[in-house]
Amino acid sequence: DAGVIQSPRHEVTEMGQEVTLRCKPISGHDYLFWYRQTMMRGLELLIYFNNNVPIDDSGMPEDRFSAKMPNASFSTLKIQPSEPRDSAVYFCASSFSTGNKLGGANVLTFGAGSRLTVL
Amino acid sequence: AQSVSQHNHHVILSEAASLELGCNYSYGGTVNLFWYVQYPGQHLQLLLKYFSGDPLVKGIKGFEAEFIKSKFSFNLRKPSVQWSDTAEYFCAVTSNTNAGKSTFGDGTTLTVKP
């Protein structure tokens, strides 16, 4: 498996522009997570999905952020309009669960990240 | 709500020194515990995990961690660090009531001087 694939790896944009980050999870994984990492705030969970359904989006900073998972193999994180304070590395991660058992579950496999710079 | 605290923000060691990074979590139920490592410029990777059984777990690259339930701790150790261990280390926990969600600590940056 190629692992979790994120695109773009780097994005430089101007304030006010729309940004779309993409993620392809590992095939067979039923959880998908979006994290944001900055020096100031560390690693923050933005939103996560289970079986393509958003479970917890309490970490999404504000209405400018939205995430979708139209199918099991694709998710997007959109920022519209973007602001300089959104500059960060955005990681996508996926994992699988084994029914009600935690054993074997919840080991996260991270993508390489998308480094976003908003000027 | 579950939380994870890592006591050391930044640790600096010389090669061959022993390492122990602290991790405490707050949750009284069944937990799964993880250590992830992030090498400079790279993404997070699993270092080791604890689900059940022997509380002393061995991971990659000579790392180990011990789960002490009474202390709600899962400290990471390595007897002799190398320069290549320079990285950021994250402790994480999932619980049986929030199985899909990993809570991460703030991370500890380890710098190993050659």
Side-chain angles (χ1 to χ4, degrees):
Chain A
D1 200 317
V4 177
I5 299 172
Q6 290 187 247
S7 64
R9 290 294 309 277
H10 300 275
E11 172 103 6
V12 180
T13 191
E14 293 190 342
M15 184 173 63
Q17 297 298 306
E18 177 179 295
V19 173
T20 299
L21 307 178
R22 298 172 179 79
C23 176
K24 176 178 166 50
I26 290 176
S27 177
H29 282 192
D30 55 350
Y31 282 95
L32 184 140
F33 303 79
W34 282 101
Y35 286 88
R36 176 172 70 176
Q37 187 177 38
T38 61
M39 290 288 290
M40 292 296 294
R41 295 186 297 269
L43 195 64
E44 305 172 274
L45 176 64
L46 301 177
I47 185 171
Y48 76 98
F49 297 82
N50 179 222
N51 293 321
N52 313 337
V53 176
I55 302 299
D56 184 348
D57 65 354
S58 60
M60 296 285 261
E62 44 198 276
D63 291 346
R64 297 185 297 107
F65 285 70
S66 63
K68 293 182 180 178
M69 192 166 186
N71 56 62
S73 59
F74 184 66
S75 176
T76 59
L77 178 68
K78 189 173 291 187
I79 308 171
Q80 166 63 18
S82 59
E83 297 182 3
R85 60 192 167 123
D86 302 330
S87 298
V89 180
Y90 291 81
F91 288 104
C92 177
S94 69
S95 70
F96 66 93
S97 62
T98 53
N100 292 324
K101 297 181 181 179
L102 287 183
N106 300 309
V107 174
L108 296 179
T109 301
F110 284 81
S114 294
R115 182 176 294 278
L116 173 64
T117 302
V118 183
L119 303 175
Chain B
Q2 61 194 27
S3 66
V4 178
S5 66
Q6 295 182 237
H7 317 300
N8 315 101
H9 219 56
H10 195 174
V11 173
I12 302 173
L13 295 173
S14 297
E15 275 197 311
S18 65
L19 169 72
E20 180 159 3
L21 301 182
C23 172
N24 284 88
Y25 64 93
S26 64
Y27 184 71
T30 302
V31 293
N32 286 355
L33 297 157
F34 307 83
W35 277 97
Y36 290 86
V37 60
Q38 185 177 27
Y39 297 104
Q42 296 188 28
H43 58 284
L44 279 80
Q45 308 167 48
L46 182 70
L47 199 55
L48 49 78
K49 63 183 187 286
Y50 172 79
F51 288 158
S52 64
D54 189 344
L56 183 64
V57 293
K58 306 260 186 215
I60 59 172
K61 303 187 180 184
F63 285 91
E64 65 179 31
E66 185 175 13
F67 171 51
I68 303 180
K69 190 174 182 179
S70 61
K71 294 185 178 180
F72 297 89
S73 71
F74 190 56
N75 292 354
L76 181 71
R77 299 195 292 251
K78 185 171 183 178
S80 175
V81 295
Q82 300 173 310
W83 176 78
S84 58
D85 293 325
T86 294
E88 190 161 12
Y89 294 81
F90 293 89
C91 182
V93 62
T94 62
S95 70
N96 61 343
T97 58
N98 202 7
K101 183 175 179 177
S102 292
T103 300
F104 281 80
D106 288 337
T108 298
T109 301
L110 171 65
T111 301
V112 180
K113 298 185 292 185

